[in-house]
Amino acid sequence: MNADSPLYWGHIYVYEHCPQQFLWNWGWEGIDLGQGPGKPIKHTGPKGSRHNPVMGIVVGRAVEKFYNDQVYLSPARVTQILTDFVEKEWGRQTRREKNWIDYDRARMSAREMVADCKKGVEGFLVTMKKHRLLGNYAQAEVRMLGWLNKWVTIAGIADVVIRRDDTGITIIDGKNTVHKMKYTDADQLRWYALVFWREFGVMPDRLGFVWFKFPAGMKTTGPNGEEVVEEGIEWVPFDEGDLRGLAKRAIDARNAMRRKKFDPVPDPPQCKKCKFELMCPARKEQRERNADRRRPRNMKELKDEEGFSDFTL
């Protein structure tokens, strides 16, 4: 990347959490990480299983087909068309070298994962009907590009953009997670709204996460043991102030990148999600410091902290 590259939400999210992780992931013009100037660092850690991302990709591709191939024009066959597509797409994705899956770690067989993907697609169709997620315009994987000023370009790929006369413009993002908002950042959707606004001059009317595993009408148990009937979609509140705040964050991040501010910020929750964790000297030092703090300093502490019994005579 360089100072003229468009900024996506993933860039902002990673840079704000750890500038070094951003640098190692995407590289930066003029910085040589061992693969040549501007290139990202070579990952030398263990290969991670891609079972969760692959399942999300497969369901997402089925949703993309539903909209962009206008499968909804064949309502009697839509479920069959999309579940057949899941079988083929699973094969395509798992044949890719980068999509290696450790089935022991996943604790699911390939057949079970495909069935899970089909269930997610069926869940989407239920939610789509309930919330009428179709309109005069309905497209998936919509590429958007906008400008915050003459120095900062922003971009995004919205899962689905829908325009209806009654509800206006809706941007939705599909999630195949079982945790709902636990690992989901609402600013991702607000970012899409910002890019849409900067490209087309109007703000969307609605933003929502569609939960493939929690379709509309599904009964689940709430935090206090109460029965909950799922809506299938989580509407994300936003206003112009939210989008202007995101714009400022993007400008601040780009300015810091221009100054080549790529210091590591080791933070255990973020580091555990980073593929470079075992390669990172800053994270290694942090773990060693934490281990030193936990290590008893003398025999008395060992007795007090661990209930140690002295059997010496």
Side-chain angles (χ1 to χ4, degrees):
M1 289 188 66
N2 58 47
D4 296 321
S5 301
L7 287 174
Y8 287 79
W9 168 246
H11 297 148
I12 298 300
Y13 179 86
V14 172
Y15 187 84
E16 289 183 337
H17 283 82
C18 180
Q20 178 184 268
Q21 185 184 356
F22 168 89
L23 174 66
W24 286 11
N25 261 304
W26 292 288
W28 191 259
E29 186 176 46
I31 297 179
D32 192 341
L33 299 171
Q35 302 300 305
K39 302 293 185 181
I41 200 167
K42 183 178 181 180
H43 179 246
T44 59
K47 197 172 186 179
S49 176
R50 293 266 299 168
H51 50 280
N52 285 326
V54 169
M55 286 192 286
I57 290 168
V58 169
V59 178
R61 291 289 171 83
V63 172
E64 179 183 352
K65 181 176 180 65
F66 172 81
Y67 285 104
N68 292 355
D69 290 359
Q70 297 184 321
V71 177
Y72 51 80
L73 295 178
S74 304
R77 299 182 55 243
V78 63
T79 300
Q80 188 62 54
I81 291 172
L82 294 183
T83 52
D84 287 348
F85 174 82
V86 163
E87 294 269 4
K88 295 176 182 177
E89 187 63 22
W90 178 266
R92 279 191 290 268
Q93 291 298 328
T94 53
R95 282 194 294 271
R96 303 180 69 181
E97 184 179 353
K98 73 172 188 176
N99 284 337
W100 175 78
I101 293 176
D102 182 340
Y103 290 98
D104 289 334
R105 182 176 176 185
R107 297 181 181 179
M108 296 175 71
S109 66
R111 183 179 296 276
E112 288 171 329
M113 291 185 194
V114 171
D116 187 87
C117 292
K118 290 180 179 179
K119 188 175 180 180
V121 169
E122 292 166 358
F124 160 74
L125 292 174
V126 171
T127 300
M128 182 276 300
K129 292 176 184 177
K130 167 71 183 297
H131 294 280
R132 301 169 67 202
L133 300 178
L134 282 172
N136 303 327
Y137 174 92
Q139 287 288 304
E141 291 295 294
V142 178
R143 295 181 177 273
M144 304 176 295
L145 191 70
W147 289 262
L148 299 180
N149 54 41
K150 63 181 181 180
W151 300 284
V152 182
T153 307
I154 57 175
I157 305 175
D159 277 7
V160 183
V161 177
I162 301 161
R163 185 179 67 243
R164 293 180 60 92
D165 293 336
D166 54 348
T167 55
I169 297 168
T170 300
I171 298 179
I172 61 174
D173 189 81
K175 297 296 185 186
N176 200 45
T177 179
V178 296
H179 300 291
K180 296 179 80 170
M181 292 301 292
K182 184 175 181 181
Y183 299 110
T184 303
D185 192 330
D187 279 343
Q188 177 187 0
L189 271 172
R190 296 186 184 110
W191 178 267
Y192 295 154
L194 173 63
V195 181
F196 188 94
W197 182 30
R198 299 308 298 164
E199 179 171 9
F200 300 107
V202 295
M203 289 195 299
D205 298 283
R206 300 188 303 175
L207 306 172
F209 289 113
V210 172
W211 310 115
F212 298 140
K213 294 184 184 298
F214 300 92
M218 179 181 180
K219 294 181 179 180
T220 58
T221 302
N224 299 316
E226 73 280 14
E227 183 178 86
V228 175
V229 179
E230 298 289 343
E231 286 294 315
I233 192 166
E234 184 106 6
W235 297 111
V236 172
F238 73 103
D239 58 25
E240 184 174 327
D242 295 324
L243 305 193
R244 291 190 180 278
L246 271 177
K248 183 180 184 306
R249 287 165 59 186
I251 292 171
D252 289 346
R254 174 44 52 89
N255 288 339
M257 294 171 192
R258 289 176 186 272
R259 296 193 300 270
K260 298 184 179 179
K261 299 293 186 180
F262 297 115
D263 294 330
V265 182
D267 177 60
Q270 186 68 18
C271 290
K272 289 176 182 177
K273 297 183 289 184
C274 177
K275 66 181 180 180
F276 302 113
E277 181 182 16
L278 298 180
M279 297 171 54
C280 178
R283 173 61 172 152
K284 181 180 179 180
E285 291 173 8
Q286 182 190 59
R287 296 179 76 164
E288 289 174 349
R289 287 195 304 269
N290 291 340
D292 286 342
R293 292 192 193 102
R294 291 191 295 267
R295 187 176 296 120
R297 292 183 294 275
N298 52 49
M299 184 61 73
K300 183 179 184 302
E301 287 186 10
L302 186 62
K303 293 177 181 178
D304 293 343
E305 293 181 14
E306 300 183 12
F308 178 82
S309 297
D310 189 349
F311 291 106
T312 58
L313 298 177

